[in-house]
């Protein structure tokens, strides 16, 4: 498939750009919908195209829709980062009422309801290649999108060096021998702890 051009369609305003688009051209925090070229018909071609879009605009939310007839349902939110561990720390510190487990090629955080602990409000799949997927109801995804900018600000305190796995294009059809073990959330840093209340109020 031709990945030299990327069309990012709106939820806000976007235009057709090259895959080396700079962050400054996609500064809005509202999620963007990917509009696939007509020749991207296979699931693998769309997956590769989606990865190209996310890597062109790191830490920018992308809406993933599931089409049902003439209707489109918001399926999840996605973004790419070179600092998945930093985001993992911020997410599990911000949502302490959670379950954590290892998944193929990454880690998962399931955010539980405050009163109904059997109810999963949001699920974060944090992959080693830098892709982070957010799953939940449309209303939960909309609330998360509104607070994404604040979440990114909190994550800055946790960032160190870019993680090597995020700088490589992993083979699309290969699977690891086994899923990694879940990683416990580290202690809340003093700087991040002072700002968690602000993010929770936004949520």
């Amino acid at each position: 498939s031709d990945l030299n051009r990327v069309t990012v369609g709106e939820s806000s305003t976007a235009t057709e750009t090259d895959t080396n688009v700079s962050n400054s051209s996609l500064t809005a925090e509202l999620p963007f919908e990917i509009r696939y070229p007509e020749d991207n018909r296979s699931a693998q071609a769309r997956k590769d195209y989606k990865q190209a879009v996310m890597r062109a605009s790191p830490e920018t939310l992308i809406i993933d829709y599931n089409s049902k007839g003439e209707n489109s349902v918001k399926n999840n939110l996605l973004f790419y980062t070179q600092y998945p561990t930093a985001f993992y720390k911020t997410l599990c510190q911000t949502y302490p009422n959670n379950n954590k487990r290892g998944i193929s090629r990454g880690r998962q955080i399931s955010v539980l309801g405050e009163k109904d602990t059997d109810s999963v409000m949001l699920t974060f799949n944090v992959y080693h290649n830098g892709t982070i997927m957010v799953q939940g109801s449309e209303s939960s995804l909309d609330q998360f999108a509104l607070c994404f900018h604040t979440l990114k600000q909190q994550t800055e305190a946790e960032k160190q060096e870019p993680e090597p796995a995020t700088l490589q294009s992993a083979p699309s059809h290969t699977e690891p021998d086994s899923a990694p073990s879940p990683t416990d959330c580290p202690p809340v840093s003093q700087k991040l702890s002072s700002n968690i209340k602000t993010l929770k109020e936004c949520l």
Side-chain angles (χ1 to χ4, degrees):
S1 58
D2 183 7
L3 299 181
N4 293 326
R5 304 289 291 177
V6 173
T7 303
V8 184
E10 257 185 45
S11 273
S12 50
T13 305
T15 58
E16 188 174 80
T17 66
D18 290 323
T19 53
N20 62 355
V21 62
S22 66
N23 255 354
S24 60
S25 63
L26 293 176
T27 55
E29 291 299 323
L30 292 177
F32 291 89
E33 176 188 357
I34 298 176
R35 300 193 185 281
Y36 297 97
E38 292 184 2
D39 60 345
N40 282 32
R41 299 181 183 276
S42 72
Q44 188 59 49
R46 286 174 173 250
K47 179 180 178 180
D48 292 342
Y49 190 81
K50 187 188 304 179
Q51 286 293 324
V53 172
M54 291 193 295
R55 286 175 177 264
S57 304
E59 299 184 11
T60 298
L61 278 181
I62 303 293
I63 305 175
D64 199 9
Y65 282 103
N66 182 23
S67 298
K68 295 181 178 180
E70 296 182 355
N71 299 320
S72 293
V73 178
K74 190 178 296 182
N75 196 32
N76 52 56
L77 298 174
L78 298 159
F79 66 96
Y80 164 78
T81 179
Q82 292 183 353
Y83 308 93
T85 297
F87 274 94
Y88 179 83
K89 290 179 180 179
T90 303
L91 289 168
C92 62
Q93 289 167 353
T94 303
Y95 302 95
N97 191 25
N98 65 57
N99 285 331
K100 301 177 292 294
R101 70 186 187 95
I103 57 175
S104 177
R105 295 173 289 181
R107 294 165 284 185
Q108 185 180 82
I109 306 169
S110 297
V111 180
L112 308 177
E114 293 187 5
K115 295 182 179 179
D116 182 6
T117 55
D118 292 329
S119 176
V120 176
M121 309 302 293
L122 282 171
T123 300
F124 301 101
N125 295 326
V126 183
Y127 296 102
H128 301 316
N129 68 357
T131 298
I132 298 181
M133 176 186 292
V134 188
Q135 297 174 306
S137 66
E138 286 204 40
S139 60
S140 295
L141 294 177
D142 288 341
Q143 289 179 337
F144 177 81
L146 290 174
C147 297
F148 183 60
H149 179 72
T150 304
L151 184 74
K152 288 199 298 183
Q153 290 181 321
Q154 312 311 333
T155 303
E156 288 298 319
E158 301 292 342
K159 288 182 178 179
Q160 297 180 9
E161 294 295 323
E163 297 175 40
T166 69
L167 305 177
Q168 306 172 15
S169 296
S172 301
H173 302 289
T174 58
E175 295 289 340
D177 294 333
S178 60
S181 300
T183 303
D184 292 332
C185 289
V188 181
S189 65
Q190 184 175 0
K191 182 176 180 181
L192 183 58
S193 178
S194 66
N195 292 315
I196 285 179
K197 182 178 179 181
T198 302
L199 181 58
K200 284 184 175 180
E201 288 175 352
C202 180
L203 296 174

